[in-house]
Amino acid sequence: VRMRFFEQLDELRGLLVVCAASVTSAIRWANESMSTGDVEIAARVLTVADEVRESRTRAQEMIEQLLVRQQPVASDLRLALAGLHLASDLERMGALAAHIAKIVVLRHPLWMVPPEAAPSLHRMGEIAERLAWTVARVLEVGDSEAAGRLDRDDDEMDILHRDMFAVLFSDWPHGVKVAVDMALIGRFYERYADHAVSAGQQVVYLVTGQTPTG
Amino acid sequence: VRMRFFEQLDELRGLLVVCAASVTSAIRWANESMSTGDVEIAARVLTVADEVRESRTRAQEMIEQLLVRQQPVASDLRLALAGLHLASDLERMGALAAHIAKIVVLRHPLWMVPPEAAPSLHRMGEIAERLAWTVARVLEVGDSEAAGRLDRDDDEMDILHRDMFAVLFSDWPHGVKVAVDMALIGRFYERYADHAVSAGQQVVYLVTGQTPTG
């Protein structure tokens, strides 16, 4: 019975690996559409976010079935619950990438990132993508060392998020609408990073069975 | 064994009832601090949000223990997982109320809601509080009819959220900083409502064993 449990857990892991890769692509395309104003790339982000939402539902169903049929022992159960949390974090990451892309679509063809905000936003985008990539990598190849980077990246994201407000609140010449867009995008990146860190913790647990100490 | 399962589920329900009442108070106080600029009331929101976060951790532990020890049947398992989702939604509701209160604290003693934004924001606050109250009531007294109201309130919230942006984006005379604050508070109310609707679905399931049809 436990053998079968691990097979099913592996199948679930396969699904989650695909999701983690998808939310990495989603944020990369969100970044690209933000930089270039390309609405076709933005549309791709929305499609991927929908797919990740469906995969989350599928993962939940798999986990429920797995728990009901297999009468798991405590450690297996915790793995299954970690999978549930991870699926939820990945779904939110997809949704947040989509929120960024939607703003680009909404403002098309007038979208542009003002030069005052561009350095912070681009750096936030880079960090978000790296966080997602790290989560995907740890999950796929079990390289749990890489997870140590997550907290540092999240700290930098928080600093950039504060910097963004400082830029918006001092002599901002681009008006209220653009400022609100920048503030919301900053918020979405910051939330994306929070969910990536949480996803990373679940992934480390799935890969090592250990609660991360960092 | 199933008798014991229901006892433990009842204990869990007690904890979640307290959490639901707490997030209702949290949003009421967040509304009040927003209207009055009262930072002591805002500080209360932060305290309650911390308590709800701790309760969520406790609820998770209870659910894990319950699942491991009781070898639940499928329907019991789904109840336990619904409890897990509910605890997570309630935690986010507490955190979002705290985000609103934090803005009031951050701007003190200069905080004020401009007259152009006040009607929408106050109405959003009322709806958020009613949503939370409804979730708490359905959970406490099993009045699942009341849950029918949740979707309508959420729809009104979405309209108000859009109205808020319309106000901010047309001849807004109060500058970028206040506009960004209003946009973020609008977003926090809207997210609060989303989590309340999700919490309501879990609560209906916990109370009736039925997935709500909306």
Side-chain angles (χ1 to χ4, degrees), chain A:
Chain A
V1 170
R2 278 180 59 80
M3 205 59 201
R4 180 90 186 97
F5 179 87
F6 283 112
E7 270 172 39
Q8 293 200 345
L9 209 60
D10 236 47
E11 205 182 313
L12 174 66
R13 175 136 86 187
L15 178 63
L16 292 172
V17 164
V18 172
C19 280
S22 295
V23 301
T24 310
S25 301
I27 198 70
R28 191 173 64 243
W29 291 329
N31 294 343
E32 196 178 332
S33 70
M34 191 190 65
S35 300
T36 62
D38 187 324
V39 287
E40 280 179 41
I41 292 173
R44 259 193 245 163
V45 181
L46 310 191
T47 308
V48 172
D50 284 343
E51 286 166 8
V52 173
R53 192 175 335 115
E54 282 165 29
S55 297
R56 185 219 173 159
T57 307
R58 203 138 42 92
Q60 277 182 325
E61 287 163 1
M62 282 173 70
I63 291 165
E64 285 184 20
Q65 284 169 13
L66 193 138
L67 289 176
V68 169
R69 294 208 195 123
Q70 308 290 347
Q71 305 274 19
V73 298
S75 58
D76 298 344
L77 179 87
R78 288 201 185 89
L79 285 180
L81 293 180
L84 214 52
H85 282 145
L86 175 57
S88 157
D89 282 320
L90 292 173
E91 190 210 355
R92 287 305 303 153
M93 289 163 78
L96 287 160
H99 287 335
I100 294 170
K102 267 183 221 160
I103 293 182
V104 175
V105 171
L106 221 56
R107 302 293 173 245
H108 182 77
L110 298 174
W111 173 257
M112 60 150 277
V113 179
E116 293 87 346
S120 297
L121 270 198
H122 291 155
R123 184 76 189 128
M124 289 176 109
E126 272 173 26
I127 294 174
E129 185 181 338
R130 190 165 69 189
L131 283 164
W133 184 87
T134 304
V135 169
R137 187 179 156 79
V138 176
L139 187 60
E140 194 170 357
V141 305
D143 169 19
S144 65
E145 300 275 304
R149 206 192 294 144
L150 293 172
D151 280 327
R152 254 171 313 162
D153 278 347
D154 189 41
D155 290 343
E156 189 182 346
M157 185 68 98
D158 288 340
I159 292 167
L160 288 164
H161 189 220
R162 274 196 295 275
D163 289 351
M164 168 68 73
F165 283 102
V167 167
L168 297 177
F169 292 170
S170 58
D171 292 324
W172 176 257
H174 304 286
V176 162
K177 194 171 191 168
V178 179
V180 167
D181 284 346
M182 297 298 122
L184 288 176
I185 291 178
R187 165 96 189 143
F188 297 145
Y189 276 127
E190 189 251 320
R191 290 296 299 153
Y192 187 98
D194 285 346
H195 284 289
V197 170
S198 166
Q201 287 165 348
Q202 307 305 327
V203 162
V204 168
Y205 189 77
L206 282 169
V207 166
T208 66
Q210 306 282 316
T211 309
T213 51

Side-chain angles (χ1 to χ4, degrees), chain B residues 27-106:
Chain B
I27 199 70
R28 191 173 63 242
W29 290 329
N31 294 343
E32 196 177 332
S33 69
M34 191 190 65
S35 300
T36 62
D38 187 323
V39 287
E40 279 179 41
I41 292 173
R44 260 193 244 161
V45 181
L46 310 191
T47 307
V48 172
D50 284 342
E51 286 166 6
V52 173
R53 192 176 334 116
E54 282 165 29
S55 296
R56 185 217 174 161
T57 307
R58 204 138 39 92
Q60 278 182 323
E61 288 164 0
M62 283 173 69
I63 291 166
E64 285 184 20
Q65 283 170 13
L66 192 139
L67 289 175
V68 170
R69 294 209 195 123
Q70 308 289 346
Q71 305 275 17
V73 298
S75 58
D76 298 344
L77 179 87
R78 288 199 186 91
L79 285 180
L81 293 180
L84 214 52
H85 282 145
L86 175 59
S88 157
D89 282 319
L90 292 173
E91 190 210 355
R92 287 305 305 153
M93 290 163 76
L96 288 159
H99 286 336
I100 295 170
K102 265 182 222 161
I103 293 183
V104 175
V105 172
L106 221 55

